[in-house]
Amino acid sequence: MRFITANLNGIRSAATKGFFDWLPEQKADALGVQEVKAQDEHVTGTFCSSGELKGHFHYAQKKGYSGVGLYTRELPSDVITGIGVEEFDFEGRYIEKRFDKPGRKLSLISCYFPSGSSGPERQEAKYRFLAAMAPHLAALQAEREFILVADVNIAHRPADLKNWKGNLKNSGFLPEERAWLDQLFGSGDKQSPGSLVDVYRQLHPDTTDECYTWWSNRGQAYAKNVGWRLDYHFATPKLAALARSASIYKDQKFSDHAPLTVDYDFSL
């Protein structure tokens, strides 16, 4: 199964930059998108499918803001939107497709974590989202296998951003945010029970400059590759063990983020 994640920074904008021309060439089985920045009237009949990939979406109530989508080749047994927290469900941040069969419970999820970079109020909202997501993911993992793809808006370790020393006090690399990922992934080299796997880092533990998936629009960040790794595949250990390759596509620029593709050795 080939699973791509891409923050589009506007689905209509990414389309004009060739995203949906590029997508069929990838032969993906699933695609998670974030920051759709559109409503149903903009998507239905235009971006609701791509070839054999059929999309489901969780839109923000606020127009032109947030929103996530999940396209899959296979039809799901169930679709769930939101995490049950009104503040964030109004912002369109979570969609889960379940592909349950006798003897198997499996989900694919697309999620968009809040950014705290615009100021203290949004940073506090980000912390509230992290506080809600931890038990949500733990409960999910207690009953099923899953892969969650997301723009997490957090760089985990110094290798995950160019200028880490200069960002120690900035949203996206704050100690509390990184500690949340530490807890999610388990501490040290050995995973603790119930921890999830950072699939890209499992496959590429030592990459630095080539791992970035986001670049600021300020200055010459993209040209100089002054980037951050903000886009992830989180997987339960059983599914993470089936990951075979991961790549970040940078030959075309559809957004301020680059698509991250992971190939897994299983089928939906």
Side-chain angles (χ1 to χ4, degrees), residues 10 14 24 34 38 54 60 67 90 131 147 155 162-163 171 183-184 187 256 267:
Q34 302 88 39
K54 307 301 179 188
F90 282 173
I147 302 168
K162 188 72 168 183
N163 182 21
S171 181
Q183 189 168 5
L184 190 75
S187 57
D256 51 352
S267 300

Side-chain angles (χ1 to χ4, degrees), residues 103-172:
R104 183 188 84 171
K105 290 185 176 181
L106 186 149
S107 292
L108 302 183
I109 303 162
S110 177
C111 186
Y112 178 44
F113 287 49
S115 169
S117 60
S118 64
E121 285 187 12
R122 289 310 297 169
Q123 185 63 39
E124 289 305 314
K126 186 176 186 178
Y127 286 141
R128 289 194 297 274
F129 184 83
L130 296 179
M133 278 297 285
H136 177 80
L137 295 177
L140 205 63
Q141 190 171 359
E143 68 164 28
R144 61 181 50 247
E145 304 293 330
F146 67 85
I147 302 168
L148 179 149
V149 300
D151 171 6
V152 179
N153 270 310
I154 304 169
H156 186 205
R157 294 177 176 165
D160 294 326
L161 70 166
K162 188 72 168 183
N163 182 21
W164 68 270
K165 289 182 180 178
N167 282 289
L168 287 167
K169 296 182 179 181
N170 290 334
S171 181

